[in-house]
Amino acid sequence: MTDPSAIAANLGTVRAHIAAAARKAGRDPAEITLIAVSKTHPKDAVLAAMAAGQTVFGENRVQEAEEKFPLPGAKLHLIGGLQTNKAAQAVRLADSIDSLDRVKLADAIEHAAQAEGRLPELLVQVNIGDEPQKSGVPTAEADAFIRAMRARFKEKLTGLMCIPPVEVDPLPYFKRLAAMADEHGLAVRSMGMSADYEAAIAAGATHIRVGTAIFGAREAPV
Ligand SMILES: *Cc1c(COP(=O)(O)O)cnc(C)c1O
């Protein structure tokens, strides 16, 4: 059940925390884009967030995203691991694909972009903790991969995304991703979720991806 007033109140709280974290870090809150992660929540929840002024959304699965988007006035980031056989749908639907992490996926995206006549913005996902179960390019390969993707996609490659290891201090991982983005002259650093977005803002996040703190708990983990 969607409770629009709860979503509006949660958005207000998250926005206030973003502003406070930005001020504490000596940053302008306007530098930080809140991606509202609506995965597992119904389209009504997205519409409730839009009614409360939210315009940027994140989804993990292409098929689920297609049930809610496109929506006039909404920007969609695809933030989940992407299979090459979903690249065409992703290219058609997304404003930004934030999980580019291997050459085969780049090939599929490029091929789809030529067929569709549109190319979303792209982020390289870095497996910043080099965890075997996580997607993302391994840190040892990141520099070469980012350079190659930059050469291929030019200004459409806008930045980097990461999900740090859980149950340890994420700050050093966030700082490492920000430093990588700096080295490559990339503006976008998508890092920080409901539990750790304030630390991500301290480390220089330009985009934070917040689901639970806006829409409430998910029934099943995705
Ligand atoms: C689900 C998800 C989020 C949001 O997580 P919350 O803890 O609910 O804020 C952010 N980023 C990615 C990649 C996700 O899959």
Side-chain angles (χ1 to χ4, degrees), residues 10-172:
N10 289 343
L11 269 169
T13 302
V14 171
R15 287 186 190 124
H17 287 167
I18 291 169
R23 274 195 300 275
K24 201 169 152 200
R27 301 184 60 200
D28 179 354
E31 291 171 16
I32 296 144
T33 299
L34 171 61
I35 302 176
V37 179
S38 47
K39 66 185 181 198
T40 78
H41 296 284
K43 185 170 177 172
D44 276 355
V46 174
L47 295 174
M50 287 189 81
Q54 181 63 28
T55 56
V56 185
F57 294 88
E59 287 281 343
N60 270 46
R61 295 168 188 245
V62 176
Q63 209 164 325
E64 184 188 340
E66 282 176 330
E67 292 163 14
K68 307 174 209 173
F69 299 91
L71 274 175
K75 267 191 90 172
L76 177 65
H77 287 247
L78 286 173
I79 61 175
L82 185 60
Q83 292 171 329
T84 52
N85 64 8
K86 296 274 165 52
Q89 287 145 282
V91 162
R92 220 173 290 143
L93 190 63
D95 296 288
S96 184
I97 296 174
D98 298 359
S99 54
L100 175 57
D101 64 354
R102 56 202 192 279
V103 171
K104 270 199 155 55
L105 181 58
D107 292 343
I109 288 171
E110 192 173 25
H111 182 78
Q114 277 158 7
E116 298 293 330
R118 89 187 285 270
L119 177 62
E121 292 181 358
L122 302 168
L123 302 184
V124 165
Q125 182 177 356
V126 180
N127 187 353
I128 201 72
D130 288 313
E131 297 171 280
Q133 78 280 15
K134 280 213 177 115
S135 46
V137 62
T139 56
E141 296 162 27
D143 279 331
F145 185 72
I146 293 164
R147 266 198 302 276
M149 293 303 105
R150 200 133 204 221
R152 195 194 279 214
F153 294 111
K154 310 286 187 305
E155 74 284 352
K156 285 292 190 170
L157 183 75
T158 57
L160 306 180
M161 188 268 253
C162 77
I163 307 170
V166 290
E167 285 163 13
V168 294
D169 180 6
L171 193 61

Side-chain angles (χ1 to χ4, degrees), residues 10 14 37 39 41 194-195 209-218:
N10 289 343
V14 171
V37 179
K39 66 185 181 198
H41 296 284
S194 290
R209 309 177 306 268
V210 178
T212 308
I214 296 170
F215 295 109
R218 290 178 291 273

